[in-house]
Amino acid sequence: MVAKAMAKQDVSAADKALIDKLAAEFATELDSLGVRVANLERNADKVKFTGKLRWQYDSERYKHNHPWNKAADKTTYRDDSNGNYVMFRLTPTAQINDHWQVRARIDAKDFTNSDSTGTPTLKRAWVVGNYGNTRIQIGKFHPYVDTELIMDNVISGAQVSFGSKVFKTIATAGRFDLYNDWPYMYTLAKESPNDNVSNYQSLSFDYNNQKNLELTATHHHYNSSLFNSDRFGYKNAGDTSFVDDANIFCF
C-alpha cells in the first residue's frame, strides 16, 4: 500500500508528508520490493476498463416502398421483425501522458432468439488530446456534432474543437460508412461495394450559457458517387444531371 501511494503524483501536501513518514518507517520492506513494483503500480493506474451488459428486445411493424427501385415503384413492402439479443460492451482507455489518451470500444452481441453468438468487434479506436480549451480526436470515433441531430454515427477521421465553455467551434473531417450506418442507402451500397463510403466534413458553432440556453449552427457536407444515381434520384434544381454531393444545414 505504501509503494502504491508513493507512485501517486496528484496528492496534497499533507498526504505527501504522511506518505514520506510511512516510507521512512517501512524503508527496509520497500527496499526489498524494489523500484520495479512501484513502476508497475504507477503504470497500472493509467489503464482502465469499463463496460456494460445490456439486454434489448426490438419489435418492428411498418410498411414502406423503395422509390429508388424502378421495378418496385408501386410495390409496398411490409416488415414484421423481432430482435432479441444481449450486448456486451467493453471500453478500455489508456493514458499516454498529461495531454493524450487512447480509447476503444469493443461490442459483442448474442442473439438469444436464434442461438447465435456474435464475434467481438472493434467498433471504435481513437486518440484524444486536450490542450486547454482545445480538444483533438483522431481515429474511428463518434464525432458528437450538433447534439447528434444529423450525425449520430461513427466516422474515420479527425475532429478539432476550440473556444470557451460558452462558445465553441467544431471542425470535423473524415469518411463515413454508408453501407452500415444509413439503412436507406443499404441497397445501393450493397450493389456498389467499392463506393459505399462517403467523404464527410462539417463545421459547427455551438453556444451554451451553461444554464438554460444552447444554440447550434452546423453545415454538413457528404460526397459519394452513390448519390449520383438515377435510382437515388437527387438532382440540381433546373438541371438534368445528378450530383454526388449532399449539403445539410442544421440550426
Side-chain angles (χ1 to χ4, degrees), residues 15 71-72 84 86 90 105 138 160 197 200 212:
D15 289 339
N84 185 17
V86 176
L90 185 65
R105 197 182 92 178
I138 304 173
V160 178
V197 176
Y200 170 77
N212 53 14

PDB file of all heavy atoms in Angstrom, residues 15 71-72 84 86 90 105 138 160 197 200 212:
ATOM      1  N   ASP A  15      -0.946  14.784   2.553  1.00  0.00           N
ATOM      2  CA  ASP A  15      -0.848  13.361   2.223  1.00  0.00           C
ATOM      3  C   ASP A  15       0.584  12.972   1.885  1.00  0.00           C
ATOM      4  O   ASP A  15       1.061  11.889   2.231  1.00  0.00           O
ATOM      5  CB  ASP A  15      -1.768  13.019   1.051  1.00  0.00           C
ATOM      6  CG  ASP A  15      -3.237  13.066   1.435  1.00  0.00           C
ATOM      7  OD1 ASP A  15      -3.521  12.968   2.640  1.00  0.00           O
ATOM      8  OD2 ASP A  15      -4.087  13.200   0.536  1.00  0.00           O
ATOM      9  N   ALA A  71     -38.387  -1.071 -60.482  1.00  0.00           N
ATOM     10  CA  ALA A  71     -39.233  -2.254 -60.584  1.00  0.00           C
ATOM     11  C   ALA A  71     -40.219  -2.360 -59.432  1.00  0.00           C
ATOM     12  O   ALA A  71     -41.171  -3.129 -59.486  1.00  0.00           O
ATOM     13  CB  ALA A  71     -38.370  -3.513 -60.633  1.00  0.00           C
ATOM     14  N   ALA A  72     -39.996  -1.582 -58.388  1.00  0.00           N
ATOM     15  CA  ALA A  72     -40.858  -1.684 -57.206  1.00  0.00           C
ATOM     16  C   ALA A  72     -41.493  -0.352 -56.860  1.00  0.00           C
ATOM     17  O   ALA A  72     -41.856  -0.107 -55.722  1.00  0.00           O
ATOM     18  CB  ALA A  72     -40.049  -2.202 -56.023  1.00  0.00           C
ATOM     19  N   ASN A  84     -34.047  -9.912 -30.474  1.00  0.00           N
ATOM     20  CA  ASN A  84     -33.873 -10.211 -29.055  1.00  0.00           C
ATOM     21  C   ASN A  84     -32.414 -10.593 -28.839  1.00  0.00           C
ATOM     22  O   ASN A  84     -31.969 -11.648 -29.300  1.00  0.00           O
ATOM     23  CB  ASN A  84     -34.794 -11.352 -28.648  1.00  0.00           C
ATOM     24  CG  ASN A  84     -34.746 -11.625 -27.151  1.00  0.00           C
ATOM     25  OD1 ASN A  84     -34.290 -10.786 -26.378  1.00  0.00           O
ATOM     26  ND2 ASN A  84     -35.186 -12.800 -26.767  1.00  0.00           N
ATOM     27  N   VAL A  86     -28.526  -9.980 -26.363  1.00  0.00           N
ATOM     28  CA  VAL A  86     -27.740  -9.468 -25.239  1.00  0.00           C
ATOM     29  C   VAL A  86     -26.463  -8.880 -25.812  1.00  0.00           C
ATOM     30  O   VAL A  86     -25.788  -9.508 -26.633  1.00  0.00           O
ATOM     31  CB  VAL A  86     -27.409 -10.580 -24.230  1.00  0.00           C
ATOM     32  CG1 VAL A  86     -26.500 -10.045 -23.131  1.00  0.00           C
ATOM     33  CG2 VAL A  86     -28.687 -11.150 -23.627  1.00  0.00           C
ATOM     34  N   LEU A  90     -17.213  -3.441 -24.059  1.00  0.00           N
ATOM     35  CA  LEU A  90     -16.016  -3.183 -23.273  1.00  0.00           C
ATOM     36  C   LEU A  90     -15.349  -1.919 -23.808  1.00  0.00           C
ATOM     37  O   LEU A  90     -15.150  -1.779 -25.015  1.00  0.00           O
ATOM     38  CB  LEU A  90     -15.048  -4.360 -23.379  1.00  0.00           C
ATOM     39  CG  LEU A  90     -13.786  -4.302 -22.509  1.00  0.00           C
ATOM     40  CD1 LEU A  90     -14.159  -4.360 -21.038  1.00  0.00           C
ATOM     41  CD2 LEU A  90     -12.848  -5.456 -22.867  1.00  0.00           C
ATOM     42  N   ARG A 105     -13.618   0.831 -28.236  1.00  0.00           N
ATOM     43  CA  ARG A 105     -14.886   0.214 -27.840  1.00  0.00           C
ATOM     44  C   ARG A 105     -15.042  -1.101 -28.587  1.00  0.00           C
ATOM     45  O   ARG A 105     -14.899  -1.165 -29.808  1.00  0.00           O
ATOM     46  CB  ARG A 105     -16.079   1.119 -28.146  1.00  0.00           C
ATOM     47  CG  ARG A 105     -17.336   0.707 -27.381  1.00  0.00           C
ATOM     48  CD  ARG A 105     -18.515   1.571 -27.722  1.00  0.00           C
ATOM     49  NE  ARG A 105     -19.292   0.996 -28.820  1.00  0.00           N
ATOM     50  CZ  ARG A 105     -20.405   1.545 -29.296  1.00  0.00           C
ATOM     51  NH1 ARG A 105     -20.840   2.689 -28.802  1.00  0.00           N
ATOM     52  NH2 ARG A 105     -21.056   0.979 -30.284  1.00  0.00           N
ATOM     53  N   ILE A 138      -8.692  11.791 -33.109  1.00  0.00           N
ATOM     54  CA  ILE A 138      -8.216  11.214 -34.356  1.00  0.00           C
ATOM     55  C   ILE A 138      -8.429   9.704 -34.315  1.00  0.00           C
ATOM     56  O   ILE A 138      -8.074   9.051 -33.323  1.00  0.00           O
ATOM     57  CB  ILE A 138      -6.715  11.506 -34.594  1.00  0.00           C
ATOM     58  CG1 ILE A 138      -6.442  13.008 -34.554  1.00  0.00           C
ATOM     59  CG2 ILE A 138      -6.245  10.915 -35.917  1.00  0.00           C
ATOM     60  CD1 ILE A 138      -4.963  13.354 -34.601  1.00  0.00           C
ATOM     61  N   VAL A 160     -11.503  18.694 -34.388  1.00  0.00           N
ATOM     62  CA  VAL A 160     -10.873  19.675 -33.503  1.00  0.00           C
ATOM     63  C   VAL A 160     -11.951  20.622 -32.995  1.00  0.00           C
ATOM     64  O   VAL A 160     -12.723  21.179 -33.789  1.00  0.00           O
ATOM     65  CB  VAL A 160      -9.782  20.480 -34.240  1.00  0.00           C
ATOM     66  CG1 VAL A 160      -9.171  21.521 -33.307  1.00  0.00           C
ATOM     67  CG2 VAL A 160      -8.699  19.557 -34.776  1.00  0.00           C
ATOM     68  N   VAL A 197     -18.532   4.256 -49.292  1.00  0.00           N
ATOM     69  CA  VAL A 197     -18.021   5.184 -48.290  1.00  0.00           C
ATOM     70  C   VAL A 197     -18.180   6.609 -48.797  1.00  0.00           C
ATOM     71  O   VAL A 197     -17.901   6.901 -49.951  1.00  0.00           O
ATOM     72  CB  VAL A 197     -16.538   4.899 -47.969  1.00  0.00           C
ATOM     73  CG1 VAL A 197     -16.002   5.935 -46.987  1.00  0.00           C
ATOM     74  CG2 VAL A 197     -16.384   3.505 -47.388  1.00  0.00           C
ATOM     75  N   TYR A 200     -16.834  13.061 -45.665  1.00  0.00           N
ATOM     76  CA  TYR A 200     -17.677  13.864 -44.765  1.00  0.00           C
ATOM     77  C   TYR A 200     -16.868  15.009 -44.169  1.00  0.00           C
ATOM     78  O   TYR A 200     -15.733  14.825 -43.733  1.00  0.00           O
ATOM     79  CB  TYR A 200     -18.226  12.985 -43.641  1.00  0.00           C
ATOM     80  CG  TYR A 200     -18.915  13.772 -42.543  1.00  0.00           C
ATOM     81  CD1 TYR A 200     -20.205  14.276 -42.735  1.00  0.00           C
ATOM     82  CD2 TYR A 200     -18.287  14.022 -41.336  1.00  0.00           C
ATOM     83  CE1 TYR A 200     -20.835  15.007 -41.739  1.00  0.00           C
ATOM     84  CE2 TYR A 200     -18.909  14.745 -40.337  1.00  0.00           C
ATOM     85  CZ  TYR A 200     -20.178  15.243 -40.554  1.00  0.00           C
ATOM     86  OH  TYR A 200     -20.807  15.971 -39.575  1.00  0.00           O
ATOM     87  N   ASN A 212     -29.445  27.721 -19.259  1.00  0.00           N
ATOM     88  CA  ASN A 212     -30.754  27.391 -19.825  1.00  0.00           C
ATOM     89  C   ASN A 212     -30.859  27.661 -21.322  1.00  0.00           C
ATOM     90  O   ASN A 212     -31.967  27.672 -21.861  1.00  0.00           O
ATOM     91  CB  ASN A 212     -31.854  28.180 -19.098  1.00  0.00           C
ATOM     92  CG  ASN A 212     -31.572  29.674 -19.065  1.00  0.00           C
ATOM     93  OD1 ASN A 212     -30.715  30.171 -19.792  1.00  0.00           O
ATOM     94  ND2 ASN A 212     -32.282  30.392 -18.207  1.00  0.00           N
TER      95      ASN A 212
END
